[in-house]
Amino acid sequence: MNKEIYRVTDKENTLRLDKVLTIFNKKNSRVYYSNLIKNGEVLVNGNKVSPSYKVRENDEISINYVEKEADMDLKPLELALDVVYEDNDVLVINKPKGLVVHPGGGHYDDTLVNALIYNEKELSNINGLNRVGIVHRIDKDTSGLLLICKNNFAHKEIASQLETHSMHREYIALVDGIITSDSGKIIGKIGRSKENRLKMAIDNINGKEAITHFEVLKRYKKYTLIKCRLETGRTHQIRVHMSSINHPLVGDKIYGGSTSLYNEGQLLHAYSLTFSQPSTKKEVNVQIDLPQYFIDVLNKLEN
């Protein structure tokens, strides 16, 4: 670790601290400095401040440069965010189908996290620097609502709601076959598949508790449109559970879904999110309509 000290001149007066640091040292990105600031490695006149602090002429800025991790200098992705709700603690994004939530698995510069960085959002960093703001996630080919935390206080509050199942997430899915009952509850522990490490599977011995509630919205000739509510939030939970009762999601090649009607990933959309606002504790409910790609498929079934 090495330390540098800068003094603000009239040229930098009133600029954001994280922006000023990129002027002083262009070798590192704005997000790198933002995370240094959040971790207390940057002091202004001996005090901790936020990345959005507006510097003043003659401010003394001291920087402790920590060794850069591979995920610390993420590239911004120029992508407009569809923000459907925002306050001082959180924002809710309508994630488009095809967008990966955070870097990893061959996606490092084209994820939602990269887009959040481009849009200069203040983000929590509890889950590490390549998952800033991320407290839960939805799959690449699942569209819909995703809650992002702006600060670590909000992150802890939302994580607690997820753990106690007081945060409600509802999805709409199109599945293969006709579900005869109007509603149901699927209970089956989920763990990593022993045959294919890219898949999850029902594992009632070593898996984690998983509960999914579903309700039939409409029946078609060969398919059923359902609404699902997650009581728990395991990886691929809806996809695994529906496949386990022989009604896999349409388009879900990994879990046995048919592809004759749609072959571009599972037809699954996160349409409703209910949570307690971290600071005010007031209930917030956000809902969005089905995206056009999903509507187009349903229109085919109506003809």
Side-chain angles (χ1 to χ4, degrees), residues 45-290:
N45 302 322
N47 301 312
K48 291 183 179 181
V49 295
S50 72
S52 61
Y53 170 81
K54 301 296 179 61
V55 302
R56 301 180 180 88
E57 187 176 356
N58 293 321
D59 274 350
E60 183 181 271
I61 302 173
S62 63
I63 309 170
N64 284 322
Y65 286 97
V66 297
E67 184 177 351
K68 288 174 65 173
E69 301 173 6
D71 62 355
M72 218 170 166
D73 200 20
L74 299 176
K75 294 181 180 179
L77 172 66
E78 186 174 353
L79 177 68
L81 298 174
D82 184 3
V83 178
V84 295
Y85 173 86
E86 184 169 10
D87 59 35
N88 291 331
D89 291 317
V90 300
L91 64 151
V92 178
I93 302 291
N94 180 16
K95 186 191 83 69
K97 171 184 169 58
L99 180 65
V100 174
V101 171
H102 59 73
H107 294 271
Y108 296 100
D109 302 328
D110 58 351
T111 73
L112 175 61
V113 165
N114 299 97
L116 288 166
I117 291 168
Y118 174 81
N119 286 271
E120 299 180 5
K121 295 293 183 182
E122 297 291 341
L123 303 167
S124 66
N125 60 0
I126 287 177
N127 277 346
L129 299 174
N130 67 346
R131 299 192 184 193
V132 285
I134 305 302
V135 67
H136 72 114
R137 67 177 200 172
I138 54 179
D139 297 334
K140 173 188 174 184
D141 288 329
T142 300
S143 56
L145 299 175
L146 187 72
L147 186 147
I148 306 296
C149 294
K150 289 183 169 184
N151 54 66
N152 289 352
F153 164 76
H155 191 117
K156 291 176 182 177
E157 290 291 315
I158 296 298
S160 176
Q161 292 178 41
L162 286 165
E163 186 176 357
T164 59
H165 313 314
S166 59
M167 177 177 171
H168 298 296
R169 290 167 289 165
E170 297 189 13
Y171 295 72
I172 291 177
L174 186 69
V175 302
D176 285 320
I178 305 301
I179 299 178
T180 55
S181 57
D182 291 336
S183 62
K185 179 180 180 180
I186 305 172
I187 302 174
K189 292 183 178 181
I190 293 177
R192 185 70 59 181
S193 169
K194 295 178 175 62
E195 289 75 30
N196 183 346
R197 302 302 293 173
L198 297 177
K199 294 176 61 176
M200 307 302 288
I202 298 293
D203 184 347
N204 286 316
I205 298 176
N206 300 312
K208 294 181 179 179
E209 178 190 28
I211 301 172
T212 303
H213 301 264
F214 70 85
E215 176 185 332
V216 170
L217 297 176
K218 189 169 184 177
R219 296 179 179 91
Y220 298 93
K221 187 176 181 180
K222 297 180 180 179
Y223 310 98
T224 305
L225 186 68
I226 62 172
K227 176 171 67 174
C228 294
R229 178 174 65 82
L230 294 179
E231 191 169 319
T232 55
R234 307 305 175 200
T235 301
H236 297 179
Q237 179 171 318
I238 293 174
R239 299 166 65 187
V240 172
H241 271 175
M242 296 312 300
S243 180
S244 75
I245 64 169
N246 299 314
H247 292 289
L249 274 62
V250 172
D252 192 351
K253 301 173 187 177
I254 293 178
Y255 294 102
S258 64
T259 57
S260 58
L261 179 65
Y262 186 79
N263 65 357
E264 297 179 28
Q266 66 276 2
L267 280 171
L268 184 63
H269 177 67
Y271 83 97
S272 179
L273 191 62
T274 304
F275 60 95
S276 175
Q277 205 287 332
S279 295
T280 67
K281 309 305 179 187
K282 291 183 179 179
E283 183 179 281
V284 178
N285 174 254
V286 184
Q287 293 190 8
I288 52 171
D289 295 330
L290 283 174

Side-chain angles (χ1 to χ4, degrees), residues 284-301:
V284 178
N285 174 254
V286 184
Q287 293 190 8
I288 52 171
D289 295 330
L290 283 174
Q292 193 59 49
Y293 79 90
F294 208 134
I295 293 172
D296 290 343
V297 174
L298 296 181
N299 285 340
K300 289 180 184 179
L301 297 177

